[in-house]
Every structure is written in structure tokens, then in C-alpha cells.
Amino acid sequence: PYSPTRSFTQENERTSVQLVQAELDRVNSDIVLNWELIDALGWQMPANTWSYNDLTPIQVIQAIAQGAGGFVNSHPATKQLLVLPEYPDAPWDWASATIAKTIPKTLIKNQNLRWTEKPLYNGVYVSGENTGVTAFVKRTGTAGDFQAPMFVNPMISATSAARSKGKAILSAGGKQAQVGIELPMEPTLGLLTPGMLIEVTNGGYGVEAAWRGLVRSTAISAAWGNGLTVNQSIDLERHYGGL
């Protein structure tokens, strides 16, 4: 965030990944780009797709990722910048999706819920600005008749970007909660990072059904008592019914 700002107009055709790499290169960064949004090249951006004024490299990279349904994070241990999809799988597909980790309920030290409910849209129009496409993205098996407000952004310059952003918009709706969970830093569990799909089980105690949630944030804390105790607190996005 302390890098120099600049203004820029994209005069030649590029991929989103090329534009992000150019932002890292202009500050002579040794950070490695780990791009996992849409595919290895991202999406095509024709000449004059976008321009910006007085932004730092990280602000530019965030704008590119967020415009196509992604987010930016840093690797916890190595010099990597991660560009990840906001929803690797839509919530209605979580039951059959591959999970990253399983948490037995017996391991949870504290848990809290923050309820929220958003419109459960099943369709949305997304469109580019100077160039690009206009696309109608809908949930498969629906008429797409309950539509979210139209989304317009320079990054919608290819159908793959339109689909990715539309999926993120539709995935964000419905009855849901942010579930805060505090866990010990178990070697067998490892660090839980944003973007992971997690399953919480009853751990062999009781009959409560397992449920799944998407990690949205992670915090680490340490305290010294009779020894060093390290905990991790995560926020999970959990969806309920209507999917």
C-alpha cells in the first residue's frame, strides 16, 4: 500500500494475468504470482479495455480480481501473491464439492453465529464498459427470473470473466450466517486460510449432521501460561436451505 501510485491506459491487448504481473514488475517485486482465477491465463482484455488514475500496484490487482469474481491474499509462509475465486464452488454445489479440511466439533473451543439473509437471486446481467461482453448469467435449472442488479465493470471483457463474476454474485445470496470458530493450532489440521471449503462434523459424539462452510477470514493468537498456547480463529460462511 506504500508503493508509488500511477495512472495508466491499456493500449494493447493483454490477458488479466499479464496486467497483474506488470504491476508486480513495476515495483521490482520478487513476489511470485499464484493465479487461480478462471484459468492460468485469466481472460483476454482487448486494447483500451480499461484505464486507471493514481493507484498503487495492489489496488490495481485487487480491482482486476474483484471485477471478475475473485479476491487477493498473500501466502502465509512464502513470497506469493494469491489471486483466488471468491466462490470456487457455488453454495448449492457444496454437498458434492471437494473439501479442504474436516473439523470435528470436539476440537472447537468457542463458536458464535452472526445471522444474515440476502435475496436469493437466480440470474444477473453482467457487462463490460469500453469493450467486452454483455452476458446473462443464471443458475442452471432456473428461469433466471429473480434477477440481481446489473453489474458493469471493465473486467467483463470475456465470457469467462462474465460467468465467474455472475457466479459470485448469485452465490452470495440466500439465508446464511457467519460462523466464528476458535480452534487450537493442531498440526494435523494445519492453518485454515480464506477460500477453503471446510466440513464440520460431530466428531463421533451425538447425531448432529455435518455441515460445510467457506473460510472468509483467519486470525492467529498466542498466549503464554504454563506454556505457549496458539489458537486460530476463522470465520466461515454457512448457507442454509433454499439452495
Side-chain angles (χ1 to χ4, degrees), residues 74-89:
S74 58
H75 193 279
T78 64
K79 290 187 175 182
Q80 292 186 54
L81 189 71
L82 312 178
V83 179
L84 306 170
E86 190 174 353
Y87 289 90
D89 297 283

Side-chain angles (χ1 to χ4, degrees), residues 18 22 28 40 78 164 191 194:
Q18 287 175 322
N28 298 316
T78 64
S164 177
L191 181 66

